[in-house]
Amino acid sequence: MYDIIVIGGGMAGMTACLYALRNGKKTLLIEGSSIGGQIAQSPKVENYPTKKQVSGEGLSQELFDQISDLGVEFEFDNIDSIQKIDNIFRLTGEFGVYEGYSVIIANGVKHRKLNLPNEDKLVGHGIYYCALCDGPFFKGREVTLIGDGNTALQYALLLSDIASKVNLVIMFDKFFGDQALVDLVENKSNIQIIRNSKTVELKGDQELESIVFERSDKTRFEISGTPLFVAIGQIPDNKRFENLAGLDKFGYFDSDESTKTKTAGLFVAGDTRKKDVRQVTTAMCDGAIAATQACNYLFSVK
């Protein structure tokens, strides 16, 4: 029996473990794939306080080592369901069943991908999903951005202040974001909007060399020598937990900065909950809050 079980080995989940362990709680961390979450895919992180530059993998490994030294227990598993029976949470996974007095879900989100050959191996080598994180590496260069929603519009504006030129490619003839953002983008002199075009091929072996697009009339064109930012949405994976934690219309946990859910003892942290800013530091902040809330909750059940 654990005091606190944390689902998700990203920066939010590991920070939650850190705070729980330092409060003397028996803590289990469950991760389904790899430690670090999305940040582990970033070759360089330059917006983390106290570190001028660090690899995302290195940053996440440091935190994992820290919680390991404090005695975290760790399991690789994919949790399929959570039940609360009296004051006990029972988590059923692919490989085992786990029980604890409190649970923190920090399972993150996945970037929606183009699902093209080469995409996965070129992530961090010409393909990026966070303009705020990786855009500054391309100061003064031409960049290409795909997406037509609010995130893409915000990324286009951010990149236009960094890059010499932004090629903004959209699948249809219009945007699906706030009109105020659309107006700003359309009036930026160094943003070129390319409409009615979809991405059909990513060329390159070790590094992205060029991007091939197809227009609505089936003709093709190619953009070479630019990094590619993909902003076509994120995918939360929370449906299986909605019996205990409410979801908003986009599938994110409907929780505020308190990280509380409709179920006492169940908390959510990081990108998996609805929020305006999704960065490594905000995820870690959530983790600290969730663990503190969980520790306070334990006073009522133990």
Side-chain angles (χ1 to χ4, degrees):
M1 178 70 66
Y2 295 94
D3 293 321
I4 298 174
I5 300 176
V6 179
I7 303 172
M11 299 301 281
M14 289 195 289
T15 301
C17 290
L18 175 64
Y19 276 71
L21 291 162
R22 287 180 59 82
N23 274 279
K25 307 306 179 186
K26 185 178 181 183
T27 305
L28 172 66
L29 174 62
I30 302 174
E31 167 57 41
S33 55
S34 59
I35 289 297
Q38 293 182 38
I39 196 67
Q41 299 178 8
S42 297
K44 287 190 289 185
V45 178
E46 293 186 336
N47 59 353
Y48 186 86
T50 75
K51 294 184 182 293
K52 291 183 178 180
Q53 184 182 107
V54 63
S55 72
E57 183 179 10
L59 185 64
S60 55
Q61 187 62 52
E62 282 186 48
L63 184 49
F64 184 70
D65 291 343
Q66 186 177 8
I67 62 175
S68 296
D69 289 345
L70 289 172
V72 73
E73 296 189 37
F74 179 73
E75 293 284 349
F76 268 120
D77 206 345
N78 292 296
I79 300 302
D80 298 318
S81 65
I82 302 175
Q83 293 176 296
K84 188 179 183 184
I85 305 168
D86 295 326
N87 285 326
I88 305 299
F89 287 93
R90 177 173 294 170
L91 287 64
T92 302
E94 186 178 353
F95 305 113
V97 176
Y98 315 91
E99 292 187 342
Y101 291 105
S102 182
V103 174
I104 299 171
I105 303 175
N107 57 339
V109 295
K110 296 180 180 178
H111 291 291
R112 192 179 300 277
K113 295 187 176 182
L114 299 166
N115 293 321
L116 292 173
N118 276 4
E119 183 174 6
D120 285 342
K121 76 174 182 179
L122 292 176
V123 173
H125 301 279
I127 297 178
Y128 308 92
Y129 299 92
C130 179
L132 191 61
C133 311
D134 300 308
F137 298 126
F138 303 100
K139 184 176 179 62
R141 288 183 52 184
E142 180 178 344
V143 303
T144 299
L145 169 65
I146 297 171
D148 54 20
N150 277 336
T151 298
L153 290 163
Q154 290 167 347
Y155 279 6
L157 292 169
L158 183 151
L159 289 168
S160 70
D161 289 335
I162 298 169
S164 59
K165 178 183 178 183
V166 179
N167 303 305
L168 176 54
V169 184
I170 60 177
M171 282 191 65
F172 303 101
D173 191 45
K174 65 175 184 177
F175 290 99
F176 298 90
D178 296 341
Q179 189 58 48
L181 290 173
V182 174
D183 292 342
L184 288 171
V185 166
E186 290 182 336
N187 284 290
K188 270 281 191 174
S189 60
N190 65 334
I191 298 178
Q192 178 186 18
I193 302 171
I194 304 172
R195 304 175 189 270
N196 298 309
S197 301
K198 67 177 181 179
T199 317
V200 293
E201 186 179 356
L202 302 168
K203 292 184 177 181
D205 186 20
Q206 302 300 319
E207 295 283 339
L208 179 66
E209 296 173 1
S210 66
I211 313 129
V212 181
F213 297 95
E214 183 177 273
R215 301 182 182 91
S216 54
D217 63 4
K218 303 302 181 182
T219 60
R220 294 190 174 191
F221 65 96
E222 196 166 335
I223 297 177
S224 302
T226 73
L228 173 63
F229 289 88
V230 181
I232 56 176
Q234 294 179 315
I235 308 172
D237 183 21
N238 298 328
K239 188 74 174 174
R240 57 202 154 134
F241 304 130
E242 67 176 344
N243 60 316
L244 297 179
L247 309 180
D248 70 6
K249 63 181 180 179
F250 301 108
Y252 294 97
F253 287 119
D254 193 11
S255 174
D256 60 17
E257 285 77 7
S258 73
T259 74
K260 294 179 180 179
T261 68
K262 64 182 181 181
T263 301
L266 178 64
F267 306 91
V268 292
D271 290 355
T272 193
R273 75 168 182 87
K274 69 175 185 181
K275 57 196 309 183
D276 293 326
V277 179
R278 290 184 168 87
Q279 289 292 297
V280 61
T281 47
T282 62
M284 296 173 78
C285 178
D286 276 4
I289 294 170
T292 302
Q293 295 278 21
C295 290
N296 291 338
Y297 167 78
L298 290 175
F299 289 122
S300 67
V301 295
K302 286 189 67 179

